[in-house]
Amino acid sequence: ELNLLYAGRISADRGMLDYLEILRGLRLRGIPARLILAGSFIPEQERAEFDQACLEMRDWITILGWTPYPEMPKVLRNADVGLAILQPIPRFKAALPVKLFEYMAAGLPVVASNFPLIREIVEKHHCGLLIDPSHGVKPAIDGIEEWWKHRETGIQAGERGRQAVLDHYNWDKLMQDLFALYDTLL
């Protein structure tokens, strides 16, 4: 099976319906994909929309609900791809979602929104693929299918992301950079 993971608040503006379309598209192509959702529906009324949209796919979806942080490493270890397809609204276009770095740290290739800050990281480290969520999810389905057919490609993308977190996107490195900035200013 190919386990797709989304971790965080579950809502339409955070890609909930896109993840269902990706799952549907992969299954139609014969890929035994599953969708794992680790988070809560916020707003709660979106749960009904989600339930209606996934009726025929229910057997391929696992909803873990809110997952305590100490349990997240296990959830991440059981995933093959990390999903972070935020919708093109202003607050997301200028954001760097923590989930992106969590997926990268876990060695997962990422599928994320093609927004400037996210693009800078994903392209720099070749750790996933970017899509424009306003143009549909076919590029995500195509890219994930490619990772499925050529497993090493996805594994290498995930490893590059993990190495990027070890080398650049961690508190020790950020602290060193901050101290260097202070030294320069002093």
mmCIF file with all atom_site columns, all heavy atoms in Angstrom, residues 19 51 72 86 111 122 165 180:
data_model
loop_
_atom_site.group_PDB
_atom_site.id
_atom_site.type_symbol
_atom_site.label_atom_id
_atom_site.label_alt_id
_atom_site.label_comp_id
_atom_site.label_asym_id
_atom_site.label_entity_id
_atom_site.label_seq_id
_atom_site.pdbx_PDB_ins_code
_atom_site.Cartn_x
_atom_site.Cartn_y
_atom_site.Cartn_z
_atom_site.occupancy
_atom_site.B_iso_or_equiv
_atom_site.pdbx_formal_charge
_atom_site.auth_seq_id
_atom_site.auth_comp_id
_atom_site.auth_asym_id
_atom_site.auth_atom_id
_atom_site.pdbx_PDB_model_num
ATOM 1  N N   . TYR A 1 19  ? -7.224  16.053 -1.166 1.00 0.00 ? 19  TYR A N   1
ATOM 2  C CA  . TYR A 1 19  ? -6.650  14.769 -0.739 1.00 0.00 ? 19  TYR A CA  1
ATOM 3  C C   . TYR A 1 19  ? -7.553  13.615 -1.147 1.00 0.00 ? 19  TYR A C   1
ATOM 4  O O   . TYR A 1 19  ? -7.071  12.560 -1.546 1.00 0.00 ? 19  TYR A O   1
ATOM 5  C CB  . TYR A 1 19  ? -6.392  14.763 0.771  1.00 0.00 ? 19  TYR A CB  1
ATOM 6  C CG  . TYR A 1 19  ? -5.548  15.938 1.230  1.00 0.00 ? 19  TYR A CG  1
ATOM 7  C CD1 . TYR A 1 19  ? -5.805  16.590 2.421  1.00 0.00 ? 19  TYR A CD1 1
ATOM 8  C CD2 . TYR A 1 19  ? -4.501  16.410 0.444  1.00 0.00 ? 19  TYR A CD2 1
ATOM 9  C CE1 . TYR A 1 19  ? -5.043  17.671 2.822  1.00 0.00 ? 19  TYR A CE1 1
ATOM 10 C CE2 . TYR A 1 19  ? -3.744  17.500 0.837  1.00 0.00 ? 19  TYR A CE2 1
ATOM 11 C CZ  . TYR A 1 19  ? -4.016  18.130 2.026  1.00 0.00 ? 19  TYR A CZ  1
ATOM 12 O OH  . TYR A 1 19  ? -3.263  19.205 2.416  1.00 0.00 ? 19  TYR A OH  1
ATOM 13 N N   . ASP A 1 51  ? -17.510 13.549 4.831  1.00 0.00 ? 51  ASP A N   1
ATOM 14 C CA  . ASP A 1 51  ? -18.158 12.230 4.835  1.00 0.00 ? 51  ASP A CA  1
ATOM 15 C C   . ASP A 1 51  ? -18.938 11.994 3.551  1.00 0.00 ? 51  ASP A C   1
ATOM 16 O O   . ASP A 1 51  ? -18.922 10.891 3.000  1.00 0.00 ? 51  ASP A O   1
ATOM 17 C CB  . ASP A 1 51  ? -19.078 12.090 6.051  1.00 0.00 ? 51  ASP A CB  1
ATOM 18 C CG  . ASP A 1 51  ? -18.306 11.938 7.348  1.00 0.00 ? 51  ASP A CG  1
ATOM 19 O OD1 . ASP A 1 51  ? -17.100 11.603 7.308  1.00 0.00 ? 51  ASP A OD1 1
ATOM 20 O OD2 . ASP A 1 51  ? -18.908 12.169 8.421  1.00 0.00 ? 51  ASP A OD2 1
ATOM 21 N N   . MET A 1 72  ? 3.235   11.194 17.089 1.00 0.00 ? 72  MET A N   1
ATOM 22 C CA  . MET A 1 72  ? 3.412   11.570 15.685 1.00 0.00 ? 72  MET A CA  1
ATOM 23 C C   . MET A 1 72  ? 4.584   10.868 14.996 1.00 0.00 ? 72  MET A C   1
ATOM 24 O O   . MET A 1 72  ? 4.471   10.532 13.811 1.00 0.00 ? 72  MET A O   1
ATOM 25 C CB  . MET A 1 72  ? 3.528   13.086 15.535 1.00 0.00 ? 72  MET A CB  1
ATOM 26 C CG  . MET A 1 72  ? 2.190   13.797 15.522 1.00 0.00 ? 72  MET A CG  1
ATOM 27 S SD  . MET A 1 72  ? 1.007   13.140 14.304 1.00 0.00 ? 72  MET A SD  1
ATOM 28 C CE  . MET A 1 72  ? 1.818   13.512 12.761 1.00 0.00 ? 72  MET A CE  1
ATOM 29 N N   . LEU A 1 86  ? -2.308  23.459 0.633  1.00 0.00 ? 86  LEU A N   1
ATOM 30 C CA  . LEU A 1 86  ? -3.119  24.546 1.174  1.00 0.00 ? 86  LEU A CA  1
ATOM 31 C C   . LEU A 1 86  ? -3.743  25.304 0.012  1.00 0.00 ? 86  LEU A C   1
ATOM 32 O O   . LEU A 1 86  ? -3.163  25.397 -1.066 1.00 0.00 ? 86  LEU A O   1
ATOM 33 C CB  . LEU A 1 86  ? -2.257  25.471 2.012  1.00 0.00 ? 86  LEU A CB  1
ATOM 34 C CG  . LEU A 1 86  ? -1.472  24.785 3.138  1.00 0.00 ? 86  LEU A CG  1
ATOM 35 C CD1 . LEU A 1 86  ? -0.525  25.771 3.799  1.00 0.00 ? 86  LEU A CD1 1
ATOM 36 C CD2 . LEU A 1 86  ? -2.409  24.156 4.142  1.00 0.00 ? 86  LEU A CD2 1
ATOM 37 N N   . VAL A 1 111 ? 4.123   16.638 -1.167 1.00 0.00 ? 111 VAL A N   1
ATOM 38 C CA  . VAL A 1 111 ? 3.307   17.225 -2.225 1.00 0.00 ? 111 VAL A CA  1
ATOM 39 C C   . VAL A 1 111 ? 2.704   18.466 -1.590 1.00 0.00 ? 111 VAL A C   1
ATOM 40 O O   . VAL A 1 111 ? 1.951   18.369 -0.621 1.00 0.00 ? 111 VAL A O   1
ATOM 41 C CB  . VAL A 1 111 ? 2.197   16.273 -2.712 1.00 0.00 ? 111 VAL A CB  1
ATOM 42 C CG1 . VAL A 1 111 ? 1.342   16.960 -3.770 1.00 0.00 ? 111 VAL A CG1 1
ATOM 43 C CG2 . VAL A 1 111 ? 2.788   14.981 -3.239 1.00 0.00 ? 111 VAL A CG2 1
ATOM 44 N N   . VAL A 1 122 ? 11.195  23.526 -1.338 1.00 0.00 ? 122 VAL A N   1
ATOM 45 C CA  . VAL A 1 122 ? 11.028  22.254 -2.060 1.00 0.00 ? 122 VAL A CA  1
ATOM 46 C C   . VAL A 1 122 ? 11.918  22.213 -3.295 1.00 0.00 ? 122 VAL A C   1
ATOM 47 O O   . VAL A 1 122 ? 12.568  21.191 -3.565 1.00 0.00 ? 122 VAL A O   1
ATOM 48 C CB  . VAL A 1 122 ? 9.545   22.010 -2.402 1.00 0.00 ? 122 VAL A CB  1
ATOM 49 C CG1 . VAL A 1 122 ? 9.373   20.793 -3.301 1.00 0.00 ? 122 VAL A CG1 1
ATOM 50 C CG2 . VAL A 1 122 ? 8.724   21.843 -1.126 1.00 0.00 ? 122 VAL A CG2 1
ATOM 51 N N   . VAL A 1 165 ? 16.567  19.254 6.555  1.00 0.00 ? 165 VAL A N   1
ATOM 52 C CA  . VAL A 1 165 ? 16.186  19.595 7.934  1.00 0.00 ? 165 VAL A CA  1
ATOM 53 C C   . VAL A 1 165 ? 17.384  19.438 8.856  1.00 0.00 ? 165 VAL A C   1
ATOM 54 O O   . VAL A 1 165 ? 17.645  20.300 9.712  1.00 0.00 ? 165 VAL A O   1
ATOM 55 C CB  . VAL A 1 165 ? 14.988  18.732 8.408  1.00 0.00 ? 165 VAL A CB  1
ATOM 56 C CG1 . VAL A 1 165 ? 14.759  18.889 9.908  1.00 0.00 ? 165 VAL A CG1 1
ATOM 57 C CG2 . VAL A 1 165 ? 13.732  19.114 7.643  1.00 0.00 ? 165 VAL A CG2 1
ATOM 58 N N   . ALA A 1 180 ? 25.170  34.411 15.091 1.00 0.00 ? 180 ALA A N   1
ATOM 59 C CA  . ALA A 1 180 ? 26.055  35.039 14.114 1.00 0.00 ? 180 ALA A CA  1
ATOM 60 C C   . ALA A 1 180 ? 25.523  36.423 13.726 1.00 0.00 ? 180 ALA A C   1
ATOM 61 O O   . ALA A 1 180 ? 26.310  37.382 13.594 1.00 0.00 ? 180 ALA A O   1
ATOM 62 C CB  . ALA A 1 180 ? 26.193  34.147 12.885 1.00 0.00 ? 180 ALA A CB  1
#
